[in-house]
Amino acid sequence: MEDLFRLLPKLLENFEDSDEVREAVVFASWKKAAGRSLASHTIPLELTGKRLLIGVRDITWKRHLESLAGQMIFKLNSILGRAEVTFIEFQIDESLAAINSSQIDGPTTSTIEYEKIAFDEVSDSLDLAAKSIADENLRRAFLLAAGSCLVRKKNMNGMQNGK
């Protein structure tokens, strides 16, 4: 997985005109920058320009992460190899609590089924971006990470819209 993160700056360079690729790469990098414990209480929601919107579980997490925003921006941009994010906004997203508690209870979908769902979310432009990754395992890991982020985003939007 470390090799995948070393390729992210190259992907950004090759596909800097694609907002979808930029967003997928930044979202995948968020988990690494935040670390496992912080990432489990957050979800990347949107990248607009250089502004990253992160959903958080509650006001306590929002305040805590706002105090760490500078460090998080530094870590994120270090992973990305350039200043892709200059501001992080944290927004309380109550649906995050439901998603996180269901993850704690255990997956209801098998790994194979989940991977199929994630890969089905990958767009043509993300697939094209992944083709620049020579190593087949790294390419698969990138597509799985991007697809997983898209599935989570779709689920969050569905919960917000009452679906």
Side-chain angles (χ1 to χ4, degrees), residues 20 117-127 143-144 146-147 150:
E20 185 180 27
I117 292 166
F119 286 127
D120 286 346
E121 288 299 314
V122 172
S123 68
D124 291 340
S125 62
L126 283 174
D127 197 38
L143 289 172
L144 184 58
L150 292 169

Side-chain angles (χ1 to χ4, degrees), residues 9-90:
K10 196 85 143 153
L11 278 174
L12 286 173
E13 185 179 308
N14 292 337
F15 295 92
E16 61 188 312
D17 292 339
S18 173
D19 290 338
E20 185 180 27
V21 171
R22 277 186 65 242
E23 185 177 73
V25 169
V26 170
F27 282 13
S29 299
W30 170 257
K31 281 184 135 182
K32 174 138 176 93
R36 189 171 219 160
S37 67
L38 287 181
S40 68
H41 297 281
T42 63
I43 188 164
L45 299 172
E46 182 177 75
L47 179 67
T48 306
K50 293 186 177 263
R51 181 184 197 97
L52 179 61
L53 179 62
I54 300 291
V56 297
R57 180 182 291 226
D58 58 34
I59 189 70
T60 304
W61 280 104
K62 182 177 188 281
R63 288 183 183 145
H64 177 64
L65 289 168
E66 284 172 343
S67 71
L68 298 173
Q71 293 172 38
M72 300 306 296
I73 291 169
F74 177 80
K75 282 179 156 182
L76 194 55
N77 287 330
S78 294
I79 292 166
L80 298 169
R82 60 192 204 184
E84 282 297 319
V85 176
T86 57
F87 186 81
I88 300 176
E89 178 183 350
F90 297 97

Side-chain angles (χ1 to χ4, degrees), residues 115-139:
E115 286 182 3
K116 182 187 178 331
I117 292 166
F119 286 127
D120 286 346
E121 288 299 314
V122 172
S123 68
D124 291 340
S125 62
L126 283 174
D127 197 38
L128 179 64
K131 286 187 189 330
S132 68
I133 302 172
D135 183 298
E136 188 176 326
N137 291 329
L138 291 177
R139 183 173 47 252

